Amino acid sequence: MPISQVPFAGISNPVDFRNIVINGDMQIAQRSTSVASLTTGGYRTLDRWYFDINSFGTWTMSQSTDTPTGEGFANSLKVDCTTADASPAAGDYLQLIQIFEGQNLQYLKKGTANALPLTASFWVKSTKTGTFIAEFFDNDNNRSISKSYTVSVSNTWEKKTITIPGDTSGAFGNDNGASFYLIIWLAAGTDFTSGTLNTSWGSRVNTNTAVGQVNIADSTSNDFLITGVQLEAGEQASGFEFMPIDVNLLRCQRYFQFIGGVNNAEIANGVSTSTIVSEFLIRYMTTMRTAPTFTQSTLAATDNVTYDLTVTSINTGDFCIYSGRVFLNHNATATQFRPASLKPTATSSTAGITLSSEL
């Protein structure tokens, strides 16, 4: 049977990449499955989800197995308050953000008379009930629109759907830059809540972005979980677009890659260019968004004669979106011009190399 005739076996929503969000089912966590004592922003656990905070308590962010029953999800993103802040300063904020490249959004026709509406849908579970804000921010043109949704029952999974109109002003740049933000507000100071909620597209004004947002940082009993995040063109929410995990991982690896994790397993091959320096070519899992930033932990090399040439320093050069070179200075004498291997010296989630080209 030709592949075009293979039935979808009852699946009503085969993959067609209509979901703009990457890793909306929270399956991929290359960095870590849990990080505690968070007081500053960054990509911490689940891929593509930026934890954004300014002086708003202390948090643990984790990949949870708590999910809505019978919906097909295996994981959720969880933030748990470990130090409360019931009296935030005016400029304090707490958010979960996903950022999108403009070149992936050209079909939305933003900035034209034919601009398409967008619909966001997701499942949330929060100890804190009340009004929450989702903001859609056009970074290229400093335009935004915010919509509220209500968490009605404490510690209960609820599905939320939000539709926004197309924006006829301001086109997204057709490039790999940070054009569009989906912002899930969790708490906000008065700098972001003292105006009138901007429920129509317009120039972004901070005071109008999160009006009415509850403070989930006001008690250490509070946590917030989210999964099944989908953002798609149109005025109706379709069923969540589940992707094979290898496809999901590959999409995440455009922005971040971890290579390693297993003791003595080769992660790159190269040559000993001198008795104390080895050079390695790093081939990426997929094309990255930009030339990545390289970091390493717990590495050693072998020139196939001398083993465990402990790293004393590493230099990088000629990094592009496809591959890069690393120069490893080691503590023992190698044989010049012999083939060499780069390897972790431990089995752990941090032993290896990381490549980051995050937005």
Side-chain angles (χ1 to χ4, degrees), residues 108-124:
L108 298 178
K109 307 170 191 174
K110 190 176 182 300
T112 75
N114 298 319
L116 298 178
L118 288 169
T119 296
S121 55
F122 47 90
W123 289 85
V124 293

Side-chain angles (χ1 to χ4, degrees), residues 8-226:
F8 282 104
I11 299 174
S12 60
N13 60 333
V15 170
D16 58 12
F17 295 95
R18 66 185 174 279
N19 189 3
I20 297 170
V21 171
I22 297 174
N23 198 29
D25 59 358
M26 313 302 176
Q27 284 271 64
I28 309 300
Q30 294 185 81
R31 293 171 176 85
S32 176
T33 57
S34 183
V35 177
S37 303
L38 292 177
T39 58
T40 58
Y43 289 99
R44 302 298 190 179
T45 57
L46 289 100
D47 283 62
R48 302 301 303 124
W49 290 101
Y50 188 90
F51 180 76
D52 198 21
I53 184 173
N54 183 54
S55 301
F56 225 134
T58 305
W59 298 84
T60 296
M61 182 178 183
S62 62
Q63 183 185 49
S64 173
T65 56
D66 185 348
T67 59
T69 302
E71 298 297 331
F73 300 107
N75 295 107
S76 62
L77 184 160
K78 179 179 181 180
V79 289
D80 176 47
C81 183
T82 56
T83 301
D85 184 355
S87 300
D92 294 352
Y93 52 81
L94 181 66
Q95 309 164 329
L96 294 171
I97 302 176
Q98 185 155 149
I99 310 173
F100 309 98
E101 298 176 52
Q103 62 189 0
N104 291 332
L105 306 175
Q106 297 302 301
Y107 70 97
L108 298 178
K109 307 170 191 174
K110 190 176 182 300
T112 75
N114 298 319
L116 298 178
L118 288 169
T119 296
S121 55
F122 47 90
W123 289 85
V124 293
K125 178 179 179 180
S126 173
T127 307
K128 189 84 172 180
T129 60
T131 299
F132 286 74
I133 303 298
E135 182 187 359
F136 307 82
F137 172 50
D138 169 7
N139 183 51
D140 288 335
N141 302 285
N142 194 41
R143 292 175 61 78
S144 75
I145 181 173
S146 295
K147 296 288 186 177
S148 64
Y149 63 96
T150 302
V151 173
S152 302
V153 184
S154 178
N155 294 322
T156 301
W157 282 105
E158 301 174 3
K159 187 175 183 180
K160 306 300 173 183
T161 302
I162 297 168
T163 298
I164 61 171
D167 185 16
T168 58
S169 297
F172 291 131
N174 187 25
D175 54 35
N176 64 355
S179 288
F180 190 45
Y181 290 54
L182 172 62
I183 304 172
I184 307 297
W185 283 87
L186 302 178
T190 56
D191 282 355
F192 309 97
T193 62
S194 59
T196 301
L197 193 67
N198 56 328
T199 56
S200 299
W201 279 105
S203 296
R204 191 176 198 257
V205 178
N206 280 347
T207 54
N208 300 335
T209 54
V211 180
Q213 172 66 46
V214 301
N215 178 11
I216 74 162
D218 64 2
S219 170
T220 55
S221 298
N222 292 344
D223 51 35
F224 179 91
L225 296 88
I226 187 168

